[in-house]
Amino acid sequence: MFERAKNRFHSVKDAIQSEKEAVDNLKKSISDIQDSMVNINKLVDDLQIQVNKLNFKNKPHLDRISDAQEHIQKTLENFPKKKK
């Protein structure tokens, strides 16, 4: 009977140690993810700045294209339509 209790104690002790290691690994993984998030947020901010710069740079060109499309559309509307 004492031997069974001793074996049971060691089994529980091993299970607790295993769970403790799993918790420690989980805490380390969470810490690694949090550290990565700082770098990811910096990257997102930098990308947003670059997108804003690109949009600002391209806006005049896109406005001219839009104006040209409107002019072409108005000109085409003035042409008589072919009857089949």
Side-chain angles (χ1 to χ4, degrees):
M1 183 167 128
F2 179 72
E3 191 64 32
R4 278 183 31 206
K6 179 179 162 186
N7 288 339
R8 179 74 176 145
F9 171 78
H10 286 294
S11 294
V12 170
K13 180 180 142 190
D14 292 342
I16 290 172
Q17 182 62 33
S18 177
E19 290 297 317
K20 182 184 177 303
E21 290 171 3
V23 169
D24 290 343
N25 288 336
L26 181 61
K27 285 180 181 177
K28 182 173 181 344
S29 296
I30 290 171
S31 175
D32 291 345
I33 290 171
Q34 288 172 335
D35 291 343
S36 296
M37 287 303 297
V38 170
N39 292 332
I40 290 171
N41 287 334
K42 285 180 185 177
L43 176 65
V44 168
D45 291 342
D46 289 344
L47 286 174
Q48 187 60 52
I49 289 169
Q50 294 301 319
V51 166
N52 291 342
K53 285 180 181 179
L54 189 62
N55 287 339
F56 180 77
K57 180 181 174 184
N58 288 333
K59 184 170 181 353
H61 304 293
L62 295 173
D63 288 345
R64 278 199 311 272
I65 291 170
S66 178
D67 291 343
Q69 284 176 327
E70 287 177 23
H71 176 71
I72 290 169
Q73 189 62 35
K74 287 179 184 176
T75 303
L76 287 174
E77 288 172 359
N78 292 333
F79 281 105
K81 296 191 181 186
K82 274 188 182 180
K83 292 185 179 180
K84 291 184 180 181

